[in-house]
């Protein structure tokens, strides 16, 4: 509300994660929104409660790294080396999107008739395009101090979790992952909320190594 002002003080030791979001408006204007997630110490006094506070709803991207360093001094953002997911991630994602588009095309026959023959290829092409953009937006990194995860295309998100704040590390392997020798690695903290770290489409040896490295701090 424009007439309501809120001031909050958050001890840095309570910060569980730093989350950066950039929607279309932020991308067009070269800005980002930053919030921190904490655990416990909420207004209700309930232990373990997750709190999410916007630190900078509209921040110039040029000041983003400086703000992150003020919150997490040992966690750089500009110099982080992002790693991609497995090369076959796009093939898997595109295949699934194509199957969904084909089913939607068949389901539309009672309403569109033979127009479904024209709609289905369009849906397939759109699904492949969105799959490409989704995979391109994925990235992860691990340093001596933090775990990073990014995702999104039209709305881009980055989550940074200090390693000492990690409480649980999971390696998830679906039947489709096993078929392609892949797995996903997820990280939970006491203040986990929206856009938690869950890195999909990792080659199994990479996922095993990442899980083992993070588990040392969990």
């Amino acid at each position: 509300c424009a007439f309501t002002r809120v001031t909050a003080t958050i001890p840095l030791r309570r910060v569980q994660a730093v989350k950066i979001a950039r929607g279309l408006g932020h991308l067009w204007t070269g800005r980002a929104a930053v919030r921190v997630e904490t655990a416990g110490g909420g207004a209700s006094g309930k232990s373990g409660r997750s709190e999410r506070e916007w630190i900078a709803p509209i921040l110039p991207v040029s000041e983003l790294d400086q703000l992150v360093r003020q919150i997490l001094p040992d966690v750089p953002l500009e110099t982080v080396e992002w790693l991609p997911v497995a090369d076959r991630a796009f093939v898997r994602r595109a295949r699934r999107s194509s199957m969904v588009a084909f089913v939607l095309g068949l389901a539309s026959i009672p309403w569109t008739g033979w127009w479904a023959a024209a709609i289905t290829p369009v849906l397939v092409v759109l699904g492949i395009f969105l799959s490409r953009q989704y995979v391109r937006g994925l990235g992860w990194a691990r340093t001596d101090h933090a775990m990073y995860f990014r995702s999104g295309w039209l709305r881009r998100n980055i989550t940074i979790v200090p390693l000492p704040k990690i409480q649980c590390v999971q390696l998830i392997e679906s039947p489709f992952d096993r078929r392609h020798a892949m797995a996903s690695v997820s990280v939970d903290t006491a203040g986990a909320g929206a856009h938690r770290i869950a890195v999909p489409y990792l080659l199994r040896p990479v996922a095993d190594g990442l899980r083992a490295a993070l588990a040392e701090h969990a």
Side-chain angles (χ1 to χ4, degrees):
C1 176
F3 300 100
T4 302
R5 297 181 179 180
V6 178
T7 301
T9 301
I10 304 172
L12 294 181
R13 67 179 183 275
R14 289 191 177 274
V15 174
Q16 302 288 317
V18 174
K19 306 203 172 186
I20 303 164
R22 301 189 67 196
L24 284 176
H26 294 99
L27 294 173
W28 288 337
T29 57
R31 284 168 167 73
V34 181
R35 73 182 184 191
V36 297
E37 293 196 350
T38 64
S44 64
K46 295 181 180 180
S47 177
R49 176 185 175 185
S50 174
E51 297 290 331
R52 293 178 290 276
E53 298 290 349
W54 290 104
I55 299 298
I58 305 176
L59 178 74
V61 173
S62 59
E63 301 177 13
L64 190 55
D65 185 71
Q66 180 182 358
L67 177 61
V68 172
R69 286 180 181 270
Q70 291 178 352
I71 302 171
L72 304 173
D74 297 322
V75 179
L77 185 60
E78 288 185 349
T79 58
V80 65
E81 296 182 3
W82 292 101
L83 299 175
V85 295
D87 293 336
R88 296 195 302 274
F90 166 67
V91 175
R92 289 186 57 188
R93 190 82 181 185
R95 184 178 300 170
R96 185 175 71 176
S97 298
S98 299
M99 293 179 62
V100 171
F102 184 73
V103 171
L104 290 176
L106 290 179
S108 67
I109 290 178
W111 296 274
T112 62
W114 291 108
W115 280 101
I119 295 174
T120 301
V122 174
L123 293 177
V124 170
V125 172
L126 179 61
I128 293 174
F129 172 75
L130 294 177
S131 297
R132 171 64 72 182
Q133 297 302 113
Y134 170 78
V135 172
R136 282 181 175 177
L138 293 175
W140 65 278
R142 183 185 66 85
T143 66
D144 294 336
H145 301 282
M147 177 68 190
Y148 303 71
F149 175 57
R150 72 179 183 189
S151 67
W153 169 43
L154 294 179
R155 179 176 176 82
R156 304 176 186 179
N157 295 281
I158 296 176
T159 296
I160 308 171
V161 174
L163 296 186
K165 301 299 183 180
I166 294 175
Q167 293 196 345
C168 177
V169 181
Q170 290 183 316
L171 188 145
I172 304 169
E173 188 183 29
S174 70
F176 299 102
D177 286 328
R178 286 194 292 272
R179 180 179 179 183
H180 295 275
M182 295 183 187
S184 302
V185 175
S186 66
V187 172
D188 284 326
T189 65
H195 195 257
R196 53 193 291 270
I197 291 182
V199 189
Y201 301 123
L202 294 176
L203 291 176
R204 183 56 192 266
V206 176
D208 287 336
L210 178 60
R211 186 208 63 79
L214 295 177
E216 295 180 4
H217 302 276

